Amino acid sequence: MAEAGRVPVGECVGAALRFVRANVRLIAIMSALGAIAGTFFSAIGLFVTQLSLLAMLAFGLAQAIVYAAFIRVAMGGAQSAYQRLAGDGVLVWAAMAVVAFFLFIVLTLCVFAAAIALAAGPIAPYIGELQAAGDDQEAVVAIMVRFSEENPGALLALTLFFGGIWLLLTSRLYLAAPASVEAKRVMVFDTWKATKGAMLRICAARLLLLLPAYLLVSALSYLFGRAVGIDTMDFNAVAAAARANPVGVLVYNLGASFLTLAAYSSFEAGLSTYLYQGLKPAAAQPTSTAP
């Protein structure tokens, strides 16, 4: 098991793989139920636009409930996973909302810093054109597309900058979900200290395990989308399909949600839980008062 301040990357990845292999049937069932619930809420948002925001929140809650169930099983509580579905799910959803808000604040500040750096550097030659474009969104998009094509290095550096910040910060808060499930209350910044000194190894374990899983899920989801007539790489095509073929979009959502939960979220739950069990502060032992 992982020890405080020390995260054996290979061992952690292996533990997550063993968790998924040992619980394939349960993971498949929970992923199917989560995908069905998520697709139901997506349908509400698609057909009743006034409820789209609530439907989006409910979709996220459905995903969180399944993820929390995976964590409960990884902690050895398969029997109680079904009993605490809603409670654990709400806790995980709330914890992830706190993390998302924290990231929003940090990344917003980084956007301002990056904008200043770009304005003084590679984007300077395009400022005149952007000012001339004014409120013409199509012209602005065309200019930015040309900028990205003519400055791939700057675009890559920007992507790595924001991606690196996201990876580092989420790794420091990576224990939030399992900590919240075990404590039965929202735990986010309470876990910050537990990951001190282990952040880079947590990053390495996540990249080693979850990057291949993400690429696999993305590829399979894309192929499934093409099979139902949707090019998921083209946002405009997806928006058009939602209007012309809503049933096809919902079928795609069902398949993509199942793949994400079964082939990505399960691995992440196994990894974060194993790390939490090793890195969480040891409970204080009662001291002897014997004379």
Side-chain angles (χ1 to χ4, degrees), residues 84-129:
R84 288 197 50 82
L85 273 178
D88 287 346
V90 169
L91 288 173
V92 169
W93 186 90
M96 294 303 99
V98 173
V99 172
F101 183 68
F102 171 67
L103 290 174
F104 172 78
I105 294 174
V106 174
L107 292 177
T108 298
L109 295 174
C110 291
V111 166
F112 284 116
I116 293 173
L118 287 173
I123 207 171
Y126 303 84
I127 291 180
E129 295 181 58

Side-chain angles (χ1 to χ4, degrees), residues 1 3 12 20 27 33 44 63 86 94 99 107 123 133 156 158 172 186 205 209 220 246 255 276 279 281 283:
M1 180 177 287
E3 299 175 357
C12 294
V20 173
I27 288 171
L33 293 174
I44 292 176
Q63 305 289 298
V99 172
L107 292 177
I123 207 171
L156 176 61
L158 200 62
R172 283 303 303 266
V186 177
L209 176 68
L220 292 176
Y276 172 69
L279 295 176

Side-chain angles (χ1 to χ4, degrees), residues 165-258:
I165 291 175
W166 176 86
L167 179 64
L168 293 173
L169 291 178
T170 53
S171 292
R172 283 303 303 266
L173 298 172
Y174 201 56
L175 309 183
S180 298
V181 169
E182 184 176 66
K184 297 181 181 179
R185 65 184 181 90
V186 177
M187 300 276 287
V188 178
F189 296 105
D190 314 69
T191 66
W192 184 273
K193 185 177 180 180
T195 57
K196 182 180 180 180
M199 180 180 66
L200 294 181
R201 286 185 172 272
I202 293 175
C203 290
R206 293 175 67 191
L207 290 173
L208 183 61
L209 176 68
L210 299 178
L211 182 58
Y214 173 79
L215 294 175
L216 175 63
V217 168
S218 298
L220 292 176
S221 296
Y222 174 75
L223 293 175
F224 182 69
R226 296 295 293 181
V228 297
I230 301 172
D231 182 2
T232 56
M233 300 296 289
D234 186 342
F235 178 79
N236 292 327
V238 174
R243 295 189 296 269
N245 183 22
V247 174
V249 170
L250 292 175
V251 170
Y252 166 75
N253 285 343
L254 179 65
S257 295
F258 175 78

